[in-house]
Amino acid sequence: MKVAVTVWGKRISPVFDAASTLLIVEVDNGVQRGGTFLKCICENTAGVIRTLRAADIEVLITGAICREAADSLEAAGVRLIPFVAGRVDHVLADFLEGKSLTGCRMPGWCGGRNGRSRKCRGR
Amino acid sequence: MTVDNNFSDSAQKVILESISDGVFTVDHNWRIMSFNRAAEEITGISRQEAIGRYCWEVFRANMCESNCALKRTMQEGKSFISSSTYIINGREERVPITVSTAQLVNAEGEILGGVETFRDHSLVEELRRELSGQYQMGDMVSRSQAMNKIFTILPQLAESDSTVLIQGETGTGKELLARAIHSLSKRKENSFIAINCGALPDNLLESELFGYKAGAFTGAEKDKPGLFAAAESGTILLDEIGDTSAAFQVRLLRVLEEREFQPLGGVETVPTSVRVIAATNRDLEDMIDTGDFRRDLYYRINILRLRLPPLRERLEDVPLLIERFIERMKLRSGLEIRGVTPEAMTLLLNHDYPGNIRELENIIEHCFVLCRSGEISPDHLPPYLRKPAEHVKKQSCQQPGLRKASLSETVNSTEEEAILAALERNSMNRTKAAAELGMHKSTLYRKIRKLNLALPEQDGRTGHSLVSSQ
């Protein structure tokens, strides 16, 4: 299985739409097999989908993402884990161990994808 | 003195809590120290959750990663006022905002951190859309008659569940129109999914649309739902439907007629309530004649048809589109581009845009690479546009002191060009030119006078004198 992470230095990119680098990681039986960086203009969701497909990526871990982009990615068959914050190595370690990434979620996230049980504050 | 300080502190808290601008402060490690009530409302994040977190995890602006105003303030010691950007709140919504930043300094002049104030511009954006409502539908803007006809019928068209066929050249905004139909429909809460049928071979296209069952082919280890399943109760756009094979057309026809599909390798059919919008840049009727498109499928998808005019047929939209692209790219890049010089606008209005709106957007993006501030001038345009038009002499170009073309000037200039060209094509026959331009003869006369166009005194049809030379 291959996993992509939008990265900003050593951290997860805060906003998917503004991210410019993807870290592609191959996972084999819960173990990471190397990683490669790809330049990618994430604002162009169709381009990201093409890139993910070409690299045969199943999972995308990213920061905040707008609904339209999230819908497009999920419709393209990508398993999306959005609104994740923190150091890339910590997040990947948790993911590889099969832990839920709930502890790495950004504040205010409604857990809205796949069921959209939204109980948010705000406007 | 202590009483004064206490009063001052409590007064500051009251003020911060009562204003409608969001305010937060950060320490030197970018951790949020304070977060006012308006900040909670705009971001949808409570103070308890925000305090102590990194500002980018809470604020989530598109400028955080590469163009952080607060970082520049902390590094350069200068404030930034009203930078436009957007944030993403917890409901996955983009919220347009403006941001101002300053250093946080105590009475001794010691820098404690930074302060960022931000204002929600959602209402302003809504009002702007409301004010220009006659020109806007979804994400599309236009002043042209042809487009406004489409905008007028779009709400009724969106209410229906019938299949829609959108025809238009590449780059005319077929996907935007499909999105607008979806967002005006009762399906808007469900998914909108677009797929370019021309980009995929048959077997891949079918597996993308209808999904497959485990074991359907080598490598199909588990069931995969297709786009029809993902778009259930929503809308699917089948773009470039004219580029599909005869075999695929048969399969699609069956789905549209029976409202059900069969995943590859599956034995059971799956009912679907997806609304289908088809789009093409090809002439399907010609393709039927040549045997390249099935007549029965054509009648099935051609229930409601919309034709998007190419940009060269609605050049009056060019200034409006340029304004929109500049605003959009300002948000993206953080650059303060004010607009386009009259000379550059002239060149942009004299191009015929074979790539349509997408080409214009790319041109403006090209300009943003070369122009870092101020106005876009001819030097910033792609080289192929930088040839002076010989048949148009713009008033603005004759006045080097004039720095900016107003929207009305550019619209007038476009009208002038369209009228002169139509008259030339019709040997100065005003009646025929008016008919070609889609306006009444008297409207054309009024425009000729208003624009002060110098025309031959003889009407090409009647020989009557028409325009008094002024």
Side-chain angles (χ1 to χ4, degrees):
Chain A
M1 176 178 68
K2 282 186 180 174
V3 179
V5 188
T6 52
V7 296
W8 175 41
K10 291 180 178 175
R11 299 189 163 275
I12 308 279
S13 275
V15 176
F16 169 82
D17 313 41
S20 57
T21 310
L22 281 175
L23 168 64
I24 312 290
V25 169
E26 191 148 4
V27 179
D28 187 10
N29 287 326
V31 179
Q32 183 179 330
R33 305 279 180 212
T36 52
F37 290 96
L38 274 183
K39 282 285 165 204
C40 187
I41 299 165
C42 290
E43 194 177 37
N44 174 5
T45 313
V48 176
I49 289 169
R50 277 196 297 275
T51 303
L52 298 181
R53 277 203 174 130
D56 203 22
I57 285 153
E58 291 177 41
V59 180
L60 174 66
I61 299 171
T62 188
I65 184 168
C66 67
R67 191 175 306 159
E68 293 80 3
D71 284 346
S72 299
L73 285 158
E74 288 188 333
V78 177
R79 183 185 153 206
L80 184 65
I81 307 177
F83 287 84
V84 174
R87 285 178 57 110
V88 175
D89 51 357
H90 295 173
V91 170
L92 273 175
D94 283 358
F95 177 78
L96 295 177
E97 285 174 29
K99 289 181 185 170
S100 140
L101 295 183
T102 310
C104 309
R105 296 288 186 174
M106 289 174 156
W109 183 63
C110 307
R113 305 219 62 78
N114 306 322
R116 298 182 185 275
S117 53
R118 299 173 182 281
K119 289 182 182 176
C120 278
R121 296 169 53 88
R123 301 168 317 119
Chain B
M1 195 68 182
T2 313
V3 173
D4 280 354
N5 278 343
N6 287 344
F7 174 77
S8 164
D9 285 350
S10 60
Q12 280 177 20
K13 278 179 187 166
V14 169
I15 291 165
L16 276 174
E17 288 306 292
S18 62
I19 60 173
S20 58
D21 284 6
V23 181
F24 67 84
T25 57
V26 294
D27 61 17
H28 288 288
N29 296 314
W30 309 103
R31 301 269 186 185
I32 290 183
M33 296 191 294
S34 67
F35 202 70
N36 77 338
R37 182 195 52 80
E40 288 183 307
E41 283 183 10
I42 297 168
T43 61
I45 296 168
S46 70
R47 187 172 320 185
Q48 291 81 355
E49 282 182 290
I51 287 178
R53 299 292 297 251
Y54 287 115
C55 56
W56 59 79
E57 294 177 1
V58 174
F59 195 49
R60 304 191 297 238
N62 69 325
M63 58 163 45
C64 287
E65 188 170 325
S66 58
N67 193 26
C68 174
L70 195 53
K71 187 177 178 182
R72 284 190 289 159
T73 291
M74 302 283 270
Q75 286 172 339
E76 300 167 26
K78 64 176 185 184
S79 300
F80 288 92
I81 310 291
S82 288
S83 304
S84 294
T85 184
Y86 66 82
I87 60 171
I88 294 180
N89 67 13
R91 291 181 299 185
E92 302 171 334
E93 294 164 336
R94 284 185 180 196
V95 182
I97 57 165
T98 52
V99 165
S100 301
T101 55
Q103 286 185 326
L104 194 61
V105 185
N106 68 7
E108 287 73 41
E110 189 185 356
I111 297 167
L112 305 174
V115 58
E116 184 148 344
T117 61
F118 54 102
R119 184 169 295 178
D120 184 347
H121 272 248
S122 303
L123 187 59
V124 176
E125 290 295 314
E126 274 175 42
L127 288 171
R128 185 183 290 172
R129 278 198 289 270
E130 198 69 38
L131 284 169
S132 61
Q134 58 185 317
Y135 304 127
Q136 176 142 4
M137 184 63 74
D139 242 5
M140 296 181 297
V141 287
S142 179
R143 291 176 188 276
S144 83
Q145 273 192 326
M147 287 301 292
N148 280 324
K149 276 182 191 168
I150 292 174
F151 290 175
T152 306
I153 62 164
L154 219 53
Q156 296 112 285
L157 194 141
E159 267 180 47
S160 144
D161 273 332
S162 301
T163 307
V164 181
L165 175 62
I166 301 172
Q167 290 186 293
E169 290 178 14
T170 183
T172 45
K174 296 188 288 291
E175 185 171 335
L176 281 183
L177 184 58
R179 279 185 189 278
I181 292 168
H182 173 74
S183 64
L184 288 167
S185 75
K186 58 181 182 287
R187 300 168 176 267
K188 66 182 176 194
E189 295 302 324
N190 300 310
S191 294
F192 171 89
I193 289 170
I195 183 167
N196 186 332
C197 301
L200 299 169
D202 263 17
N203 52 356
L204 194 54
L205 180 58
E206 287 189 22
S207 76
E208 283 294 309
L209 286 175
F210 310 128
Y212 55 78
K213 293 288 180 186
F217 48 83
T218 309
E221 290 164 7
K222 54 183 181 185
D223 291 4
K224 178 183 176 289
L227 296 182
F228 267 86
E232 184 54 28
S233 304
T235 307
I236 193 163
L237 169 65
L238 303 177
D239 202 358
E240 306 306 356
I241 199 161
D243 295 342
T244 53
S245 70
F248 175 79
Q249 288 169 27
V250 173
R251 187 119 197 246
L252 180 62
L253 177 64
R254 195 173 306 137
V255 172
L256 294 176
E257 281 181 338
E258 295 168 15
R259 309 298 302 166
E260 57 185 24
F261 62 92
Q262 196 171 12
L264 290 178
V267 287
E268 290 180 0
T269 55
V270 180
T272 178
S273 63
V274 171
R275 184 188 198 176
V276 174
I277 298 177
T280 182
N281 61 7
R282 301 177 67 173
D283 187 331
L284 295 184
E285 285 167 349
D286 279 357
M287 291 180 70
I288 291 168
D289 293 341
T290 56
D292 293 320
F293 200 82
R294 290 185 66 94
R295 186 179 297 275
D296 46 9
L297 178 60
Y298 176 70
Y299 289 128
R300 174 59 62 179
I301 60 176
N302 187 23
I303 296 168
L304 301 166
R305 181 164 49 167
L306 294 169
R307 179 190 168 268
L308 273 173
L311 190 51
R312 66 183 168 277
E313 286 180 19
R314 50 181 182 117
L315 283 172
E316 63 269 46
D317 285 342
V318 168
L320 200 63
L321 290 163
I322 289 171
E323 192 182 328
R324 161 162 285 219
F325 294 145
I326 287 176
E327 284 306 313
R328 190 182 294 173
M329 284 170 206
K330 270 166 71 175
L331 275 179
R332 222 187 279 172
S333 64
L335 295 174
E336 273 309 315
I337 306 291
R338 290 198 307 276
V340 174
T341 65
E343 296 82 0
M345 185 63 85
T346 302
L347 294 174
L348 287 161
L349 287 167
N350 283 312
H351 185 54
D352 62 357
Y353 297 99
N356 292 295
I357 297 167
R358 190 180 295 130
E359 182 186 0
L360 177 58
E361 187 171 13
N362 290 344
I363 288 168
I364 300 301
E365 191 166 349
H366 172 102
C367 295
F368 262 69
V369 174
L370 300 179
C371 178
R372 309 306 290 169
S373 64
E375 289 180 309
I376 291 167
S377 72
D379 289 344
H380 302 129
L381 295 171
Y384 70 89
L385 287 171
R386 279 184 255 149
K387 49 182 192 298
E390 291 168 12
H391 62 286
V392 177
K393 287 184 180 172
K394 294 277 309 275
Q395 192 184 27
S396 54
C397 295
Q398 296 160 358
Q399 297 179 26
L402 196 65
R403 296 294 310 138
K404 197 165 188 173
S406 70
L407 192 59
S408 63
E409 277 177 318
T410 50
V411 168
N412 283 350
S413 132
T414 311
E415 270 190 339
E416 184 180 322
E417 288 167 48
I419 289 169
L420 287 172
L423 285 164
E424 272 177 41
R425 276 194 299 272
N426 292 283
S427 313
M428 290 301 159
N429 181 323
R430 277 69 157 165
T431 309
K432 283 185 180 174
E436 186 188 301
L437 291 164
M439 61 177 74
H440 193 268
K441 191 169 57 174
S442 59
T443 308
L444 177 65
Y445 291 165
R446 201 169 52 247
K447 283 185 182 291
I448 288 170
R449 287 194 189 94
K450 187 185 108 183
L451 296 167
N452 197 17
L453 298 182
L455 300 177
E457 291 211 10
Q458 300 302 307
D459 181 314
R461 179 177 63 93
T462 61
H464 292 165
S465 175
L466 178 76
V467 182
S468 55
S469 48
Q470 294 174 11

